[in-house]
């Protein structure tokens, strides 16, 4: 299978994960594929046997990283897979930023476990449904 075909297949899987988690995916399959093909973006996966059941994506910016997506299929949530994904970032010395829904207390607690701290609120940042975002940042290396 050629790389482009493989990326299309993976983008379809990631889109299905986002639809499972959010009911209405915040990203289209085309947006995911475009993102995957960027040189400044990395994707990390967690598996059940050979099936991708969760992923994390980061974008490399000048002197910092942005965690752009993290999602675990609902059937696999609560099993430590989000922690496995975030642990992949523990050796990176750059500051990492992310946004999280204000109502998503479980995700905020997970991010705090990995050294992220709340910075500010972005009013009405999310749509479907409309909601504030909490901007969080992790400074450099943190022991876990």
């Amino acid at each position: 299978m050629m790389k482009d075909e493989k990326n299309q297949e993976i983008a379809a899987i990631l889109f299905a994960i986002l639809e499972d988690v959010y009911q209405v995916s915040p990203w289209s399959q085309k947006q995911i594929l475009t993102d995957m093909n960027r040189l400044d973006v990395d994707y990390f996966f967690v598996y059940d046997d050979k099936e991708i059941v969760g992923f994390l994506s980061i974008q490399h910016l000048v002197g910092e990283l942005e965690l752009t997506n993290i999602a675990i299929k609902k059937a696999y949530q609560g099993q430590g897979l989000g922690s496995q994904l975030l642990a992949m970032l523990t050796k990176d010395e750059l500051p990492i930023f992310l946004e999280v829904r204000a109502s998503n207390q479980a995700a905020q607690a997970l991010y705090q476990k990995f050294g992220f701290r709340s910075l500010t609120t972005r009013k009405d940042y999310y749509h479907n449904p409309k909601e504030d975002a909490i901007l969080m940042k992790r400074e450099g290396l943190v022991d876990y």
Side-chain angles (χ1 to χ4, degrees):
M1 183 178 296
M2 294 175 43
K3 182 182 178 194
D4 192 48
E5 290 174 357
K6 184 66 175 170
N7 280 352
Q8 287 181 10
E9 180 182 317
I10 293 171
I13 292 166
L14 302 186
F15 179 71
I17 292 170
L18 290 173
E19 282 190 313
D20 177 61
V21 171
Y22 298 105
Q23 295 177 345
V24 176
S25 174
W27 290 41
S28 70
Q29 187 171 327
K30 183 178 179 181
Q31 286 173 313
I32 295 166
L33 181 61
T34 299
D35 197 54
M36 288 176 61
N37 288 321
R38 292 178 56 142
L39 296 177
D40 62 343
V41 174
D42 289 319
Y43 276 74
F44 302 90
F45 307 106
V46 287
Y47 298 85
D48 178 24
D49 195 21
K50 294 181 181 178
E51 176 191 3
I52 296 173
V53 297
F55 73 98
L56 176 149
S57 59
I58 57 169
Q59 181 177 10
H60 299 261
L61 305 168
V62 177
E64 64 190 40
L65 301 172
E66 182 180 1
L67 194 157
T68 55
N69 236 323
I70 183 169
I72 307 292
K73 278 185 173 181
K74 285 182 181 177
Y76 293 88
Q77 291 178 1
Q79 299 178 23
L81 299 178
S83 289
Q84 285 180 29
L85 287 168
L86 287 169
M88 295 179 186
L89 304 179
T90 59
K91 294 180 178 33
D92 206 306
E93 296 182 22
L94 295 175
I96 304 173
F97 290 87
L98 61 85
E99 288 99 6
V100 60
R101 284 186 177 273
S103 64
N104 195 341
Q105 298 296 315
Q108 290 176 47
L110 175 64
Y111 299 140
Q112 288 170 357
K113 176 182 164 185
F114 282 86
F116 286 87
R117 300 291 170 247
S118 298
L119 294 179
T120 190
T121 300
R122 292 187 171 161
K123 187 83 175 138
D124 296 334
Y125 180 81
Y126 290 104
H127 305 281
N128 297 325
K130 186 177 277 192
E131 186 174 353
D132 294 349
I134 306 298
L135 177 64
M136 300 183 81
K137 179 182 182 183
R138 189 199 81 193
E139 293 280 358
L141 291 176
V142 181
D143 291 328
Y144 301 98

